[in-house]
Amino acid sequence: MGDKKHTLTLTDNATGKAIELPVRYGTEGPPAVDIGPLYRDFGYFTYDPGFVSTGSCRSAITFIDGDQGVLLYRGYPIEQLAEKSTFLEVAYLLLYGELPSQDQLDGFTNVIVRHTMINESLKSFYQGFYHDAHPMATMVGVVGSLSAFYHDSTDIRNPQHREIAAHRLIAKMPTIAGASYKHSIGEPFVYPKNSLSYAGNFLRMMFAVPSEEYVVDPVAEKALDLIFILHADHEQNASTSTVRLAGSSGANPFACIASGIAALWGPAHGGANEAVLRMLAQIGDVKHIPQYLAKAKDKNDPFRLMGFGHRVYKNYDPRARIIRKMCHEVLEKVGDQHDPLFELALRLEELALKDDYFIERKLYPNVDFYSGLIYKALGIPTNMFTVMFAIARTVGWVAQWMEMIGEPDQKIGRPRQIYDGPAARDYLPIRRRKSAPHGAGTADLNGEARNTD
Ligand code: CMC
């Protein structure tokens, strides 16, 4: 790894001992203190809620410099990939570490295309979901169920199995997503058409009906391919960490990716794109923006400006810059440039970026501030927005999962805690117990029974 010799020394006031911890360096980014010896040699854990200062792994896939607004996939700047590459080429890069030659790309495309269909009996799985199920709920269930279909690729110690599982997941995700949408609107599923591009095929599975010809709109196809590139990976975010943690126990890749989809769904993560559109609709008119900015700044109000802020970027999200430009292009060519929601979004962005609260906290628009507007212009319904994110991020999840499983010293992930509960005490027979008030997080069983309808 080429670590420079450097240590961090802490003094333990309780014992007077010096604690020496090695410092690790990557190719980019700040150094990291290796706290491995801390518990083993000195009996201390570290405490870092939300993992704001904790690196959970070494990874050679994606690098983010949040202060400079830099995002690299395998060393390549996102701006260059967005301009010159395609989603499947980026997928190859993330999975295998290098950009493919033409032969390698053709071979990879061919493999992905061969795996786009889903087992016919998997289709009946959808019938178990109520028609108005949120497509993300359907995605979690159907992707998890893939492990019941592909026993031939779930031996995670076999590199070939891992690779086939990765290809299957990347290939089937648009098909599963398209079917989730079709189920929710009561239309027949559309089979994949493998002569189309990854994005074009997905658009067709979303919008084609058996009774009519469907022609993929090249502007929509290009915009979607770009959005997929921008969302493909983002180092150790909540869903990727979830995939790694699930995978660290030896769970099969389909189950791991289903857990990633579940983690992505939350509004603080991938669910933000859906939340942005709901928020814009709620604001309704530019004249209400000051009132909503005040709500976002009010500590007693849970309202946050969705699509603003990021755990790592304390500068403009580089993906937001790229997608903002694409947003203009898409609205000009296929959408409505004068869509009041777009005008509202631009004005909101302008006012927030001038506001001291957002300036001081370095809160800039993130990728999700714009992706929803593009999806809307392409006719993709709001409840599919996070599904779109999941399709693209599957590449990052499987690349990170493969990297982790391939490590020789891979261990189960197992964080520790500071225990704040009661100290050790003796069991009392029931007749000697008094009714104690329910603590936070304790179920009020009577209340629960009352509220069940
Ligand atoms: N609106 C208003 N205030 C905010 C916002 C926001 N969107 N984001 C952060 N803040 C404030 C927060 O209240 C806190 O203020 P103070 O220091 O006075 O207590 C300060 O900024 C720091 O916030 P934080 O919650 O400690 O930051 P975090 O790194 O834990 O959270 C975040 C990052 C993305 C969860 C948060 O910015 C947020 O909730 N944003 C809205 C949801 C969103 O757009 N998420 C998509 C992220 S990008 C796509 C992805 O990676 O999935």
Side-chain angles (χ1 to χ4, degrees), residues 52 231 234 237 264 266-273 276 296-297 299 303-312 314 317 319 357-358 361 363 366-369 389 393:
V52 272
H231 284 86
H234 216 222
N237 55 81
L264 183 74
H269 191 9
N273 52 17
V276 168
K297 295 189 280 185
K299 291 286 154 233
F303 178 81
R304 279 192 167 198
L305 216 52
M306 300 315 288
F308 264 76
H310 196 277
R311 167 60 62 79
V312 184
K314 302 302 172 195
D317 177 343
R319 303 167 303 170
Y357 173 95
F358 291 88
R361 288 167 183 75
L363 299 170
N366 58 51
V367 67
D368 286 329
F369 190 71
F389 195 156
R393 186 55 58 83

Side-chain angles (χ1 to χ4, degrees), residues 37-64:
L38 207 53
Y39 182 63
R40 196 182 56 224
D41 300 344
F42 303 98
Y44 285 106
F45 296 138
T46 53
Y47 179 59
D48 183 21
F51 310 123
V52 272
S53 306
T54 297
S56 57
C57 60
R58 297 193 81 122
S59 177
I61 302 176
T62 294
F63 173 72
I64 301 173

